[in-house]
Amino acid sequence: MPTSAAGDTGPHRPRSLAGFTLLELMLVIAIVAVVVAGVSFALPDPHHTALAREADRMAALLDAARTRSQASGVPVRFRTTDQGFSFDGLPAGSLPSEWSSAVVRPAEPTELTLGPDPIIGPQQLRLVTAASERRILVVRTDGVRPFVVLPPEEGVAAARR
């Protein structure tokens, strides 16, 4: 039998050169889709990360202001404003007065009394993201211990109380 030309597509072509079947292509696409979905779920939500970072920052700032108030004997009040927040009673510029993330904001206007008394009443600041008001973190103190950030599920429960 004579050898055929390189472009022969006749019935004598070996199976290894036949290409992929539709079923094989669909299987590969399905595997790629599952992998892409898994990777997308594994990526952290940037809004939630910003919220957690801002809540930790606010807990540290509130504790710092409370300590300064106790050390100086001067009453300090924290309040949220349209532009950010302020620590009334402390020298201007001694602590930051702006949110570090544009996507984080207080859930409602808030005023906290931070001192100078060593024991204050329970205080809390509720933070939300601009993208979703269902994601709430609460920065809270019982009035004796330092400010802490409550986990999201406890933050939602505390916000409802």
Side-chain angles (χ1 to χ4, degrees):
M1 175 165 19
T3 57
S4 60
D8 183 16
T9 58
H12 302 294
R13 191 170 69 169
R15 172 74 177 121
S16 63
L17 299 176
F20 297 107
T21 65
L22 180 59
L23 181 62
E24 291 169 331
L25 287 174
M26 289 175 54
L27 182 63
V28 168
I29 290 172
I31 291 171
V32 168
V34 168
V35 169
V36 168
V39 168
S40 68
F41 286 126
L43 294 175
D45 179 10
H47 293 282
H48 184 68
T49 303
L51 179 63
R53 189 175 303 127
E54 188 66 27
D56 288 338
R57 177 178 173 256
M58 289 310 302
L61 287 174
L62 291 169
D63 280 333
R66 184 175 176 190
T67 301
R68 288 183 183 189
S69 176
Q70 291 171 353
S72 67
V74 175
V76 173
R77 293 186 61 79
F78 167 86
R79 64 184 175 86
T80 57
T81 64
D82 292 336
Q83 295 80 25
F85 51 88
S86 68
F87 291 97
D88 301 333
L90 293 178
S94 63
L95 288 176
S97 61
E98 295 177 356
W99 304 106
S100 64
S101 174
V103 300
V104 177
R105 61 182 175 77
E108 66 268 336
T110 303
E111 286 192 19
L112 307 176
T113 302
L114 302 174
D117 299 326
I119 299 176
I120 59 176
Q123 309 277 327
Q124 77 176 16
L125 169 65
R126 294 175 54 221
L127 298 175
V128 297
T129 62
S132 172
E133 292 192 11
R134 293 182 305 156
R135 286 212 171 122
I136 299 172
L137 285 182
V138 177
V139 181
R140 172 181 258 189
T141 181
D142 62 0
V144 177
R145 291 185 282 263
F147 282 89
V148 295
V149 178
L150 297 178
E153 58 277 358
E154 289 182 37
V156 171
R160 292 182 181 150
R161 287 186 231 158

